[in-house]
Amino acid sequence: MALNQAVKPGHINMGRVIRQLSAHTNQARKMVYHRPPIYGKDGYGVVSGGAAGISTPEMLLPNLPVLVRPLITKDYTLSKGGANIIGAARIYTPNIRTIKGMPNFNQEDNVNFDEIEGWDRFIDNDRTIYQVPTTATGNWTGTGSITTNGESIILTATGDGNLLYGDDLGLTANTLEADRVRLKLKGSGSVELKAVRSYHGGTNSAHRVNWDNDNFILLDDNWLTIDMPFESDTTSTSIFQTGTRYDVDVTTGVSFEYTDDLKIFRVEYNADSGDTLEIKDVEFYKSISWHVRSVREYNDGFIIFNCVRTKGKRDSLRRSYGTAY
């Protein structure tokens, strides 16, 4: 059996197990690791509030390989009774030494990551609501020439500009159930990411949500995974590249509604003529948040976390109540 190859007695290489299982089951996949910001305390021990009081910023690190074994994905009886914890799962990860060797988790680059602690969370993809197609160039436009390799859209830039999918009339894609958006970008040359924008219900700035990041240059020929919230009352989020955090301001136009259909998806950048920007795996998805409640097993081969799922929003009520829900 393939899973037994090169595995020593009494030792499990969980990273290898997860990679091999991912070809056979969706229980082995990659999740987003998230820890909320930590606020400082004053001389009286009172926690400071607001953005100015943040001592350690949030960590939002995609691509953590895990094996998830749900015990209860969602209990509607508990939900109706008002309980906030409505599901449970065991989540297996590689050992902490292996995790710290991964991009963004490497402590030499990201000094704020030490280990996975209680009530940190794993953000999982419950289901993809809409995937922006990148296998063909139809409906893609940008500041330069556009081609595809059958997997990603490739823009050869003529200078600063944008890369967008959609048009004024043709695109109408339901994204109601989504609460996060994920994409992968790769640049060559000196491509600097400025912003990501998504237009819903209209094609002008009044109908869009804006993720304006601190500008940074994409690493040459390396895919960067960006995973951001797509829900009301979000004012900021994060993008991490090789352990460095870039702040992202989240704003919406005066006519924007999360319940409206997607019209345009756009990436804005600075670039020199001849630089290339690639994009793929653009998806609006509904997430599950698994919060770490306890550590079941911690050894040299792997870690098992007992996690609980907290109650999320119901799609039917979101459609009825709008963004106020």
Side-chain angles (χ1 to χ4, degrees):
M1 183 176 179
L3 293 180
N4 292 330
Q5 295 177 2
V7 177
K8 300 176 182 178
H11 176 78
I12 294 178
N13 185 328
M14 184 55 68
R16 180 177 296 173
V17 170
I18 292 172
R19 286 195 301 272
Q20 293 182 345
L21 282 176
S22 65
H24 305 281
T25 173
N26 192 41
Q27 285 186 314
R29 53 187 181 266
K30 293 182 178 180
M31 293 188 188
V32 178
Y33 166 77
H34 179 247
R35 178 183 293 167
I38 298 174
Y39 292 86
K41 295 182 179 181
D42 61 19
Y44 298 96
V46 178
V47 176
S48 306
I54 294 176
S55 177
T56 303
E58 74 165 353
M59 283 187 286
L60 189 67
L61 311 178
N63 297 331
L64 178 65
V66 305
L67 175 65
V68 57
R69 297 187 61 192
L71 305 176
I72 301 175
T73 300
K74 188 170 184 180
D75 189 317
Y76 291 97
T77 303
L78 289 173
S79 179
K80 190 172 181 63
N84 190 47
I85 294 175
I86 60 170
R90 288 179 185 159
I91 293 181
Y92 297 67
T93 72
N95 63 47
I96 194 65
R97 183 182 298 108
T98 301
I99 292 175
K100 286 187 175 183
M102 298 174 182
N104 287 326
F105 294 90
N106 186 329
Q107 205 164 23
E108 293 181 3
D109 300 321
N110 184 358
V111 296
N112 291 325
F113 179 78
D114 41 23
E115 62 179 348
I116 298 172
E117 300 177 349
W119 299 111
D120 291 352
R121 66 171 175 154
F122 303 101
I123 302 174
D124 193 10
N125 183 338
D126 186 13
R127 67 180 185 274
T128 297
I129 306 303
Y130 179 73
Q131 182 145 4
V132 177
T134 58
T135 57
T137 58
N139 282 340
W140 281 97
T141 58
T143 311
S145 61
I146 292 177
T147 58
T148 181
N149 57 15
E151 180 184 24
S152 60
I153 293 296
I154 306 168
L155 169 75
T156 302
T158 55
D160 301 345
N162 60 75
L163 174 62
L164 67 86
Y165 177 80
D167 54 44
D168 290 343
L169 299 174
L171 179 61
T172 302
N174 172 49
T175 55
L176 169 75
E177 295 91 348
D179 56 22
R180 298 192 70 83
V181 59
R182 176 188 295 145
L183 65 150
K184 293 181 180 178
L185 296 174
K186 180 169 70 172
S188 68
S190 56
V191 179
E192 184 180 54
L193 181 64
K194 292 175 55 181
V196 177
R197 312 200 189 281
S198 190
Y199 296 71
H200 297 255
T203 58
N204 58 43
S205 60
H207 290 87
R208 75 187 186 193
V209 55
N210 309 291
W211 296 276
D212 290 284
N213 57 270
D214 295 337
N215 292 7
F216 65 95
I217 295 176
L218 298 172
L219 291 178
D220 268 357
D221 299 321
N222 282 273
W223 285 107
L224 173 68
T225 300
I226 297 172
D227 195 299
M228 301 181 292
F230 176 72
E231 54 187 350
S232 56
D233 300 324
T234 301
T235 58
S236 66
T237 185
S238 307
I239 297 174
F240 277 80
Q241 180 174 254
T242 59
T244 300
R245 178 183 180 270
Y246 298 94
D247 186 62
V248 181
D249 291 327
V250 184
T251 58
T252 57
V254 295
S255 302
F256 174 81
E257 295 285 349
Y258 283 92
T259 54
D260 288 339
D261 291 341
L262 172 68
K263 294 294 184 182
I264 293 174
F265 186 83
R266 188 172 90 186
V267 175
E268 297 181 0
Y269 60 86
N270 293 326
D272 295 330
S273 180
D275 289 350
T276 62
L277 174 64
E278 290 188 55
I279 186 171
K280 69 175 182 177
D281 297 345
V282 183
E283 59 179 343
F284 290 80
Y285 72 94
K286 181 174 182 177
S287 67
I288 297 176
S289 286
W290 295 109
H291 296 257
V292 175
R293 191 170 190 176
S294 62
V295 178
R296 181 177 177 84
E297 188 167 350
Y298 193 110
N299 57 49
D300 289 341
F302 56 90
I303 311 171
I304 305 176
F305 296 97
N306 289 325
C307 298
V308 294
R309 177 182 181 178
T310 54
K311 181 168 59 178
K313 296 185 177 182
R314 291 171 54 190
D315 298 333
S316 57
L317 296 183
R318 194 179 192 195
R319 175 71 76 184
S320 297
Y321 300 161
T323 56
Y325 171 65

